[in-house]
């Protein structure tokens, strides 16, 4: 009995030592929360890691080692814990930011783009389902933004128009305090149909698949053209195929680390 007790105490002591050693190791050599590669002009390529803020950090922000170069270029980052792949490309006033969320059964991609004139565009995609939201400036009507937004009742993305952040054409849903949903359909800035729903209709991925595939093709073409133009301007490699479920845009990050 006494021998068993001594063994138990010894094992506990070993566990404490191991845990203490691990904590010291983490303090001296913390594990990175992300790894990245930057493609620019000077220098042409820099690879590094991002760490959680140090306890004595004055800013409380994650730390990059080495520092990420400033200026124009393409920054590709893989966040291992969150399983997110992100890309930020800057060329003068033009900028594009892409995040691909992979830690879920339904992968999604979010894109924010600002052209040289400062005009924004936004694209949100549920991979395998279709467009959730895609808006861009209407070249025919200055100040208006047009595009597509997924409508649960229609079971597909429907055309939308916004003016000064107000909906002119399209549909929108809002969650009410009673846990029901309000539905409103707009035409020429006026509500032409409204009702309340107990629940949002389930999304059928096979419904209207031809229309969704065509819209996805257009979105992929739009994104690829912008990325290629910026790649040509900067003369740096920029990964494409962000809307392809079989691709891995962040492969070049951890492939050579």
């Amino acid at each position: 009995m006494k021998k068993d007790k001594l063994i138990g105490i010894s094992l506990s002591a070993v566990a404490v030592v191991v845990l203490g050693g691990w904590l010291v190791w983490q303090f001296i050599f913390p594990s990175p929360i992300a790894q990245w590669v930057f493609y620019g002009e000077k220098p042409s390529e820099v690879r590094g890691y991002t760490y959680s803020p140090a306890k004595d950090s004055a800013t409380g922000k994650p730390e990059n080692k080495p520092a990420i170069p400033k200026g124009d270029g393409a920054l590709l980052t893989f966040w291992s814990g969150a399983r997110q792949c992100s890309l930020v490309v800057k060329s003068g006033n033009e900028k594009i930011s892409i995040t691909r969320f992979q830690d879920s059964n339904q992968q999604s991609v979010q894109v924010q783009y600002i052209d040289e004139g400062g005009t924004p565009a936004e694209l949100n995609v549920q991979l395998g389902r279709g467009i959730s939201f895609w808006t861009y400036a209407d070249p025919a009507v200055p100040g208006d933004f047009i595009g597509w937004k997924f409508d649960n009742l229609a079971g597909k993305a429907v055309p939308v128009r916004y003016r000064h952040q107000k909906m002119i054409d399209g549909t929108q849903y809002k969650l009410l305090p009673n846990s029901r949903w309000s539905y409103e359909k707009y035409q020429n800035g006026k509500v032409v149909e409204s009702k309340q729903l107990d629940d949002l209709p389930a999304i059928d991925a096979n419904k209207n698949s031809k229309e969704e595939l065509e819209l996805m093709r257009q979105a992929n073409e739009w994104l690829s053209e912008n990325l290629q133009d910026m790649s040509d301007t900067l003369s740096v490699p920029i990964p494409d195929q962000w809307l392809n479920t079989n691709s891995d845009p962040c492969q070049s990050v951890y492939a050579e680390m």
Side-chain angles (χ1 to χ4, degrees), residues 58-257:
T59 63
K61 296 181 179 180
E63 299 180 4
N64 298 303
K65 297 180 181 180
I68 298 175
K70 297 181 179 180
D72 293 348
L75 174 64
L76 186 64
T77 307
F78 177 68
W79 303 85
S80 55
R83 290 193 54 77
Q84 293 180 15
C85 181
S86 63
L87 171 71
V88 178
V89 187
K90 187 177 182 299
S91 176
N93 295 325
E94 188 177 11
K95 181 179 180 180
I96 190 166
S97 301
I98 307 175
T99 301
R100 179 161 161 170
F101 300 90
Q102 304 178 120
D103 192 19
S104 64
N105 294 328
Q106 191 63 52
Q107 298 183 41
S108 62
V109 178
Q110 296 180 358
V111 181
Q112 292 181 326
Y113 173 69
I114 299 177
D115 65 15
E116 294 179 349
T119 303
E122 186 175 351
L123 171 66
N124 291 345
V125 174
Q126 294 287 330
L127 299 184
R129 288 186 177 178
I131 302 294
S132 297
F133 189 71
W134 183 20
T135 57
Y136 43 88
D138 183 354
V141 184
D144 276 22
F145 287 83
I146 57 175
W148 303 84
K149 182 180 180 182
F150 189 86
D151 183 286
N152 288 69
L153 287 178
K156 62 179 181 180
V158 298
V160 293
R161 177 180 293 275
Y162 293 90
R163 183 174 300 150
H164 305 302
Q165 298 183 342
K166 292 184 178 180
M167 176 167 280
I168 304 301
D169 297 310
T171 60
Q172 65 179 12
Y173 298 80
K174 291 182 181 179
L175 181 61
L176 302 174
N178 59 5
S179 298
R180 302 188 75 195
W181 291 86
S182 70
Y183 164 85
E184 293 180 334
K185 182 177 181 180
Y186 287 77
Q187 286 183 358
N188 298 319
K190 297 181 179 180
V191 178
V192 296
E193 182 182 352
S194 65
K195 54 186 171 183
Q196 289 191 11
L197 306 170
D198 292 330
D199 294 295
L200 291 180
I203 299 174
D204 184 355
N206 296 319
K207 186 178 181 180
N208 302 306
S209 58
K210 289 185 178 180
E211 293 92 334
E212 292 300 308
L213 286 174
E214 173 58 23
L215 195 55
M216 281 287 290
R217 185 196 66 78
Q218 295 176 24
N220 189 54
E221 184 177 275
W222 169 81
L223 181 58
S224 294
E225 287 180 354
N226 282 304
L227 290 174
Q228 187 60 54
D229 288 345
M230 297 186 79
S231 177
D232 293 341
T233 300
L234 295 169
S235 297
V236 299
I238 298 178
D240 196 356
Q241 299 302 313
W242 288 81
L243 306 185
N244 187 344
T245 55
N246 297 321
S247 70
D248 185 358
C250 263
Q251 185 175 6
S252 61
V253 178
Y254 41 74
E256 301 181 26
M257 295 299 286

